[in-house]
Amino acid sequence: MNENTAANLQSCARCGGMFWYQGTGKRICSKCKKEDDEQFEIVKSYIYENLSATIMDVSKETGVRVARIKAFLREGRLVIPDNSAIFLNCEACGTSIKFGRICRTCADTLTGEIKKAMDVSEYEIGEKPNLNSGKMRFLTRDNN
C-alpha cells in the first residue's frame, strides 16, 4: 500500500465505518450516501407536494430528521419554493433565504472584504484562459 492509498482510507462522518475516499464530495461511505440520497428524494417530493408544510411537518411525515432537512437546504440540494412555510436564515444577517448559507448581499460583501483584506487590486484578478485561442497577449495597467 503506498502513501496516497493510505491517505484515502477514511472514517465515515456518519456511521464511523472505514471507506476509500475518492477526494471529492462528502466524507461518507457509499452506504450512508445511498441513505442520504434516498432521504433527500423523500423530502424533496414531500415539500413540492405540500408547499404549506413546516420543517417539523416534513420531518414528522417523512421520518427524516430536521437537522438533515436543514442540511439539504444549506447544501443547496433543495430550493424552498415560493410561498412555502419553510425558510432558512442567512448566517450573516438573518434575512430569509431559499437555500444555502448566506444571502447574495452578504456573499457580495464578503467577497469585497476578502479582496480588501488580501489587498487584491482588480488587475490582480486573473481570467480563465480561452482554450480556443493559442496566442499570448500582454495586459497593461493603464491599457496603453
Side-chain angles (χ1 to χ4, degrees):
M1 185 181 321
N2 66 35
E3 183 178 320
N4 291 334
T5 304
N8 290 334
L9 184 60
Q10 299 283 321
S11 175
C12 177
R14 298 251 174 85
C15 71
M18 300 303 287
F19 74 103
W20 295 107
Y21 181 60
Q22 300 301 315
T24 59
K26 296 180 191 175
R27 294 182 185 266
I28 59 175
C29 67
S30 59
K31 178 183 166 214
C32 289
K33 180 171 180 0
K34 182 179 180 211
E35 181 181 308
D36 190 56
D37 290 343
E38 289 169 356
Q39 288 182 345
F40 170 75
E41 288 301 324
I42 291 167
V43 167
K44 177 182 164 187
S45 295
Y46 186 84
I47 289 173
Y48 284 98
E49 291 172 11
N50 301 279
L51 295 178
S52 63
T54 64
I55 286 183
M56 293 303 290
D57 294 336
V58 175
S59 179
K60 181 180 174 187
E61 295 300 319
T62 63
V64 178
R65 295 176 325 166
V66 170
R68 192 76 228 124
I69 296 167
K70 285 185 177 182
F72 293 147
L73 293 165
R74 295 234 180 265
E75 293 165 2
R77 293 178 72 184
L78 287 176
V79 176
I80 299 170
D82 290 330
N83 302 318
S84 174
I86 299 173
F87 65 93
L88 288 175
N89 296 101
C90 171
E91 292 178 8
C93 72
T95 193
S96 293
I97 54 177
K98 294 172 69 168
F99 65 92
R101 296 179 54 200
I102 60 175
C103 68
R104 172 57 52 200
T105 302
C106 289
D108 292 344
T109 299
L110 286 170
T111 300
E113 289 175 4
I114 290 170
K115 284 170 58 176
K116 185 176 178 182
M118 292 179 66
D119 195 24
V120 176
S121 298
E122 197 60 36
Y123 71 87
E124 294 176 304
I125 299 173
E127 293 180 15
K128 291 183 178 181
N130 179 351
L131 300 178
N132 296 327
S133 173
K135 296 180 181 178
M136 183 176 285
R137 61 192 178 114
F138 295 92
L139 297 176
T140 61
R141 291 184 194 173
D142 57 354
N143 294 324
N144 287 332

